[in-house]
Amino acid sequence: MTEFSERFLLDPEVNASLYPYLNSLREHRPVYWSNMHRAWLVTGYAQIAQCLRESAISAERVGPIMEGVPEGALEDAPRAFEILSHWMVFNDPPEHRRLRTVFQEQFSARAINRYQTLIEGATRSLLARRAVSGSTGDAVADVAKPLPSLVFAKWLGVPQQHSPSFWFWNARVGDLVLGAAQGEREYRTSLKSLLNLYDYLADLVRQRQAEPKDDLISSVLATGQVGTSVTEEEFVGMLTHLAFAGGETTSNLIANGLRALLQHPEQLKAVREDPGLLRGAVEEALRYDGPSKMSIRTAAADFELDGAAIRAGDRVFLVTAAGNRDPAQFDDPDVFDVSRGSTPHLGFGFGAHFCIGAPLARLVARAVLDVLVRDYPDLELVGQTHTWQLSMLNRSLTDLVVRY
């Protein structure tokens, strides 16, 4: 066993070279109390899966988010707190199940697959304006960021002319939820953006109640669950969650998946020769270098995990990026292999909190990667060193320079 020396997870060197550090942490102790983070760092696959099944581990963490708000930005905090309390990801069963059920049918394969043609067409349209054969470009800015925004706006029913404001608010909500809002001014902007996003979607719900259209909001309203199973306030709050989570997660999955394929030419060649491997390529991207690093939980009661005595109130960091590289669960875990098969990864969570938007994110990623792989046979990376946004939770590239 190699000697272990703890580092702060937001250390720029750790952020730049994540997996060697996570591997050493997991090898040292898969359930590790960190005085530096004042939390348990859980890095073993089996231990993370146990936590995600464990009723003593709570997903409720709106309180800690709001505890970080500076005094000068508190004016909008109570209402923002109320909106976040309706997010499925911050609720435990049975409340989580009640909220989730409202959207279950909208994420079925039948409901989602009809968007494939739209996604492929939007991808080709974006790239036609930006990706000239032989030229260089940034695949994050060219397609990974804007494409999910287009798809999710269409899915929610947001008119194209409103998209710039809508996605600006989403990005600022991300600063709040993902811990990037550091100063008083940034917090004020993030809190106000969440309120603006909520008010916009509440108005959109009222419009669809009066005049239904072919979109998610109208489909859910037609089921009669809004006002019965959930309140209208809960429904709008959940829409803010779907708007934020879907775009960010899918953007990261596209960019990280494309990077992994381009860094492994033999795997890219296999996918080009057998498009049926694309599904496996997306799953392997989720495992090998997924869109998020961890999820944060709180112990609601005392319990034991792998010999560690976790106490009620302790913070627990479920480092899924480390669990997905656990050699106790995956053969050759640091190898990117699109033919790996169906070994379950933690890229979209596990158990009750498995990501409800996973089917749509997978469809978008497959469609975008299919277009890039098929339409750009000479696609290659320009340079092998890449920069990642400094974030505890997200695994997000700042750019991905490619030659089309």
Side-chain angles (χ1 to χ4, degrees):
M1 181 180 293
T2 57
E3 184 177 347
F4 174 73
S5 176
E6 186 183 1
R7 305 278 296 277
F8 190 50
L9 290 173
L10 281 179
D11 183 316
E13 291 184 9
V14 172
N15 194 65
S17 185
L18 180 66
Y19 293 103
Y21 176 73
L22 292 183
N23 288 345
S24 67
L25 173 57
R26 187 188 55 247
E27 182 182 347
H28 173 68
R29 195 171 298 159
V31 181
Y32 175 81
W33 172 256
S34 168
N35 286 316
M36 189 176 290
H37 296 89
R38 293 178 294 109
W40 292 97
L41 306 184
V42 184
T43 51
Y45 180 99
Q47 293 83 357
I48 293 170
Q50 181 179 340
C51 286
L52 290 170
R53 291 191 297 261
E54 175 61 63
S55 61
I57 293 285
S58 174
E60 199 289 308
R61 64 179 184 90
V62 177
I65 291 174
M66 289 305 168
E67 285 172 7
V69 178
E71 187 174 348
L74 287 174
E75 180 183 356
D76 292 320
R79 189 171 168 226
F81 182 102
E82 180 67 20
I83 294 168
L84 290 177
S85 72
H86 300 319
W87 284 26
M88 287 176 276
V89 72
F90 296 144
N91 278 271
D92 299 318
E95 281 297 287
H96 174 268
R97 191 177 305 111
R98 179 180 67 86
L99 297 171
R100 183 186 181 104
T101 300
V102 174
F103 292 98
Q104 202 71 53
E105 177 57 29
Q106 315 313 317
F107 285 99
S108 67
R110 179 182 59 80
I112 293 301
N113 286 341
R114 66 194 184 99
Y115 287 96
Q116 181 161 349
T117 301
L118 164 71
I119 297 165
E120 292 173 348
T123 302
R124 288 192 168 97
S125 178
L126 280 171
L127 290 172
R129 298 197 298 268
R130 308 177 186 205
V132 178
S133 180
S135 68
T136 60
D138 174 10
V140 171
D142 291 348
V143 67
K145 282 289 185 187
L147 192 279
S149 299
L150 289 171
V151 173
F152 277 82
K154 173 75 173 176
W155 179 63
L156 285 167
V158 175
Q160 187 173 355
Q161 64 267 28
H162 298 162
S163 286
S165 295
F166 185 77
W167 293 111
F168 171 81
W169 296 329
N170 264 281
R172 301 292 74 77
V173 170
D175 293 342
L176 176 69
V177 174
L178 300 176
Q182 298 298 324
E184 184 177 304
R185 180 179 178 182
E186 289 80 10
Y187 267 103
R188 282 202 302 269
T189 300
S190 293
L191 291 165
K192 183 63 72 176
S193 292
L194 178 57
L195 270 52
N196 288 340
L197 180 63
Y198 180 94
D199 290 343
Y200 176 82
L201 287 167
D203 185 60
L204 202 58
V205 168
R206 287 190 287 270
Q207 292 177 40
R208 295 300 181 264
Q209 287 169 330
E211 185 180 350
K213 294 191 175 182
D214 182 20
D215 55 35
L216 171 79
I217 293 174
S218 300
S219 297
V220 174
L221 289 173
T223 68
Q225 296 180 90
V226 179
T228 55
S229 299
V230 297
T231 66
E232 187 168 315
E233 290 76 17
E234 287 175 326
F235 178 52
V236 179
M238 288 190 288
L239 290 175
T240 67
H241 177 206
L242 294 179
F244 159 70
E248 181 71 22
T249 298
T250 310
S251 293
N252 294 346
L253 175 54
I254 292 167
N256 298 2
L258 179 61
R259 175 179 179 266
L261 279 170
L262 294 178
Q263 285 187 322
H264 298 85
E266 74 290 349
Q267 299 296 306
L268 178 60
K269 181 174 182 289
V271 170
R272 283 184 168 139
E273 292 176 351
D274 180 5
L277 289 174
L278 256 177
R279 188 178 298 271
V282 170
E283 296 308 306
E284 181 67 343
L286 283 160
R287 183 202 69 82
Y288 178 79
D289 199 7
S292 63
K293 299 175 185 175
M294 71 170 73
S295 59
I296 296 176
R297 299 288 194 269
T298 304
D302 295 353
F303 76 103
E304 185 174 299
L305 179 65
D306 202 41
I310 297 179
R311 302 302 181 200
D314 286 353
R315 289 196 306 168
V316 183
F317 291 179
L318 305 180
V319 191
T320 50
N324 280 333
R325 297 281 189 108
D326 189 342
Q329 181 69 23
F330 303 98
D331 294 333
D332 299 320
D334 293 322
V335 173
F336 180 73
D337 180 4
V338 300
S339 302
R340 183 174 293 275
S342 58
T343 303
H345 56 73
L346 301 168
F348 281 130
F350 186 88
H353 278 278
F354 184 83
C355 177
I356 192 173
L360 184 55
R362 282 171 162 140
L363 177 66
V364 174
R366 283 201 306 270
V368 173
L369 292 175
D370 189 32
V371 169
L372 286 164
V373 165
R374 288 175 179 274
D375 292 10
Y376 298 89
D378 298 320
L379 187 68
E380 62 180 1
L381 289 174
V382 177
Q384 292 290 326
T385 302
H386 302 105
T387 304
W388 302 89
Q389 291 181 13
L390 199 59
S391 169
M392 285 285 287
L393 302 181
N394 266 17
R395 177 72 169 162
S396 182
L397 285 161
T398 57
D399 56 31
L400 187 68
V401 181
V402 296
R403 182 171 292 106
Y404 293 105

